[in-house]
Amino acid sequence: MPENTQTALRIAVAQSTVREDPTDADGLRASAAEIRRFMKDAADGGARLVHFTEGALCFPSKIVMSELGPDEIGPSDWSKAQWSVLQSELDEIARLSGELGIWTVVPSIHRLPAPTRPHNSLYVVSDQGKVVARYDERTLSYTKINYMYTPGTEPVTFELDGYRFGLALGMDAHFPELFTEYERLDVDAVLTSYETGGDPGKDTVATEVRGYAAANGYWVSLAVSANPSSTHAGVIGPRGAWAAECPPDGKPAVVIADLNREDTISPLARNWRRQTRTRIGS
């Protein structure tokens, strides 16, 4: 890792409106406008990075995209998506990142040459307005892998001001081995984007990722959709407690937290955990 240049790093996480129709150009533009508003709020609050939920630009519905729909789920017809609008809005988000001097981590669909299905992805945009990394969801749900997306294959990390971040998206949140993998990659935090779908049962994702934070001794930023029926967004500290939380009413919001290495477990404790995991074969 590069030499640490500061003790604390301020980040922001959002719970934002999720729309499900990538054929709706006006809806895509409205989602992007909300993202840019939260980017400005985060920058005004002194954050160096702002993190958004899965579906922040669009969470394509399996029904909307089904080539057999709307009454039967089948392979997605991605030719229906407004790809030019998606790209234009991503370009504007990147431009604003450079203008504000803030890093932006935002999910979107990553198009691949037909007939290959797209990736469900997280884009990392630097404070220079450049896309510097992309993570593709690896643990796709039954519907995603059979009808919608091509899975990713690798973990992705990036570094900002001496801190190293890992990325997780969608169903990744239910697989602890991915979070243990990031611990072995020496991350300070994992940015986890998850679309709750308004299902009260999916509130368990907050419990899961709080456990990952505590078990691995790092922060987890949990960005979710704005929905009063399920969990809220926030930043979880390396002992598993909330460091900052968006309002539990589920309304669109952004919250800021400071990451500080003084709050993490000691290098001795981290090495002991690694050695133990190696010994027991996990």
Side-chain angles (χ1 to χ4, degrees), residues 7 21 26 52 56 60 67-68 133 141 171 195 198 221 225 254 268:
T7 302
D21 187 354
D26 289 340
F52 290 94
E67 64 182 19
L68 305 176
S141 67
M171 297 301 291
E195 204 288 310
S221 175
S225 49
V254 64
L268 179 63

Side-chain angles (χ1 to χ4, degrees), residues 51 122 135 166-170 172-173 178-179 182 190-194:
H51 168 216
L122 266 173
Y135 172 76
L167 299 169
L169 177 61
D172 292 346
L178 271 63
F179 290 79
Y182 277 125
V190 178
L191 307 178
T192 305
S193 298
Y194 187 86

Side-chain angles (χ1 to χ4, degrees), residues 20 59 194-199 202 225 227 230:
E20 297 188 339
F59 187 70
Y194 187 86
E195 204 288 310
T196 63
D199 181 352
K202 290 186 177 180
S225 49
N227 197 304
S230 51

